[in-house]
Amino acid sequence: MDADESRQLLSGMLRAVANHDRSAFAALYRLTSAKLFGICLRMLPQRSDAEDVLQEVYVTVWHKATLYDGQRASPITWLAMIARNKSIDRLRVSGVERHNEPIELLERMHEPEPASDPVEIDAERRRLDQCLAALEDRQRCVIRTAFFDGCTYEELASRSGVPLGTMKSWIRRGLLRLKECLEK
């Protein structure tokens, strides 16, 4: 299945879920849960928390599938952002201390491969990797840390030893370059 077919399949499932189609919801879960669980596991220190958050993600999808806009994001991106945001919410509520190593140490850490599932598209992954590689090292590192660890701008600035405004500028410029590259 190519990228367009996957996107159309998931978009159709989300439209059906918006109409409370339980079989479409079950199929959506089968196709996307491994990837979303991988995101939750990466961000949360306890597996049980990741499992709870994954359940919250799908409850949110069931109730808010009508909000999905295919013009703004691919279905898997929209689902991944829900998983990321729910994981960040769990971290904030629990007051769990996340990785507090300096950013430079995180740059050297091996990033595990994401959970594979039928929706994962190799061509898109290579393109994203190429665009990330085109960023400056510090921009790439803080964007990955913000996304995968759910760090706030304040946490990133503190860990990097730079002013908050500088951190915001690094991330904003990096995201703009990333978006520009991905749109080519």
Side-chain angles (χ1 to χ4, degrees):
M1 182 179 303
D2 70 15
D4 288 333
E5 291 172 337
S6 293
R7 185 179 183 130
Q8 288 175 3
L9 175 67
L10 290 178
S11 292
M13 287 179 181
L14 283 170
R15 283 191 300 276
V17 170
N19 291 320
H20 299 287
D21 181 330
R22 292 177 187 269
S23 62
F25 184 72
L28 180 73
Y29 180 86
R30 277 192 308 276
L31 289 174
T32 61
S33 61
K35 181 175 194 68
L36 301 184
F37 188 55
I39 291 168
C40 296
L41 277 175
R42 169 98 167 123
M43 293 181 68
L44 298 166
Q46 298 292 324
R47 183 179 182 89
S48 61
D49 286 339
E51 291 167 351
D52 291 345
V53 168
L54 184 66
Q55 181 177 353
E56 292 173 25
V57 167
Y58 284 99
V59 168
T60 299
V61 170
W62 178 255
H63 292 291
K64 298 192 176 194
T66 56
L67 299 177
Y68 170 68
D69 179 0
Q71 299 300 315
R72 295 187 62 176
S74 72
I76 199 66
T77 299
W78 186 73
L79 293 166
M81 289 308 298
I82 293 172
R84 177 183 179 272
N85 291 341
K86 291 288 181 189
S87 296
I88 290 170
D89 291 346
R90 175 61 62 100
L91 287 168
R92 287 182 180 147
V93 166
S94 66
V96 171
E97 193 73 20
R98 290 189 299 264
H99 307 288
N100 286 319
E101 298 89 357
I103 291 292
E104 293 78 26
L105 291 178
L106 291 173
E107 287 176 6
R108 288 180 246 147
M109 290 175 59
H110 172 70
E111 189 171 312
E113 287 298 313
S116 61
D117 63 60
V119 179
E120 187 70 27
I121 309 299
D122 288 337
E124 286 182 6
R125 174 66 185 206
R126 283 192 305 272
R127 192 164 151 229
L128 177 60
D129 286 343
Q130 288 171 346
C131 289
L132 280 168
L135 296 176
E136 295 176 21
D137 288 342
R138 68 178 179 216
Q139 287 175 331
R140 180 178 49 255
C141 182
V142 296
I143 287 171
R144 282 186 172 177
T145 303
F147 183 81
F148 290 118
D149 289 348
C151 290
T152 64
Y153 289 143
E154 292 85 1
E155 291 170 327
L156 288 169
S158 173
R159 289 164 59 180
S160 298
V162 299
L164 178 59
T166 300
M167 181 56 61
K168 288 181 178 180
S169 294
W170 286 355
I171 292 174
R172 183 176 49 79
R173 284 192 304 261
L175 289 174
L176 287 172
R177 287 187 60 206
L178 187 60
K179 180 182 178 194
E180 186 179 288
C181 178
L182 290 171
E183 289 176 346
K184 290 180 182 175

